[in-house]
């Protein structure tokens, strides 16, 4: 009962949380979904990152951002600073 209450409280926060909490609440109503929860818990972050990455790449796919824009970003001081920060994070996490 406590999990239902907690998920119900989350429903009132923001749209993303509302959708996620509603999805989990609906899944809790389906008895066969209990075996789905461990899979979703393990793969959910990867699925979410993939969806977010696809959303970020849409302007490139639609032509709103072109190669010239990307090259200009690499030339700017902010582009260099961002690249260095990302590289430093990758070095810490990857090596």
């Amino acid at each position: 009962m406590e999990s239902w209450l907690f998920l119900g409280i989350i429903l009132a926060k923001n749209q993303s949380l509302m959708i996620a909490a509603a999805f989990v609440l609906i899944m809790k109503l389906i008895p066969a979904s209990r075996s789905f929860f461990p899979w979703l818990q393990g793969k959910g972050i990867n699925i979410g990152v993939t969806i977010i990455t696809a959303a970020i790449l849409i302007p490139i796919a639609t032509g709103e951002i072109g190669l010239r824009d990307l090259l200009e970003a690499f030339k700017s001081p902010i582009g260099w600073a961002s690249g260095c920060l990302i590289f430093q994070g990758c070095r810490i996490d990857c090596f």
Side-chain angles (χ1 to χ4, degrees), residues 3-22:
S3 65
W4 287 92
L5 180 62
F6 186 67
L7 289 169
I9 291 169
I10 289 175
L11 280 171
K13 294 298 177 190
N14 71 37
Q15 185 177 8
S16 296
L17 282 174
M18 288 171 34
I19 292 168

Side-chain angles (χ1 to χ4, degrees), residues 57 60 65-87:
L57 294 174
I60 296 171
I65 296 176
L67 185 58
R68 183 176 300 172
D69 298 317
L70 292 175
L71 292 175
E72 289 299 318
F74 283 120
K75 293 178 185 177
S76 73
I78 293 174
W80 275 97
S82 300
C84 289
L85 288 173
I86 291 169
F87 180 72

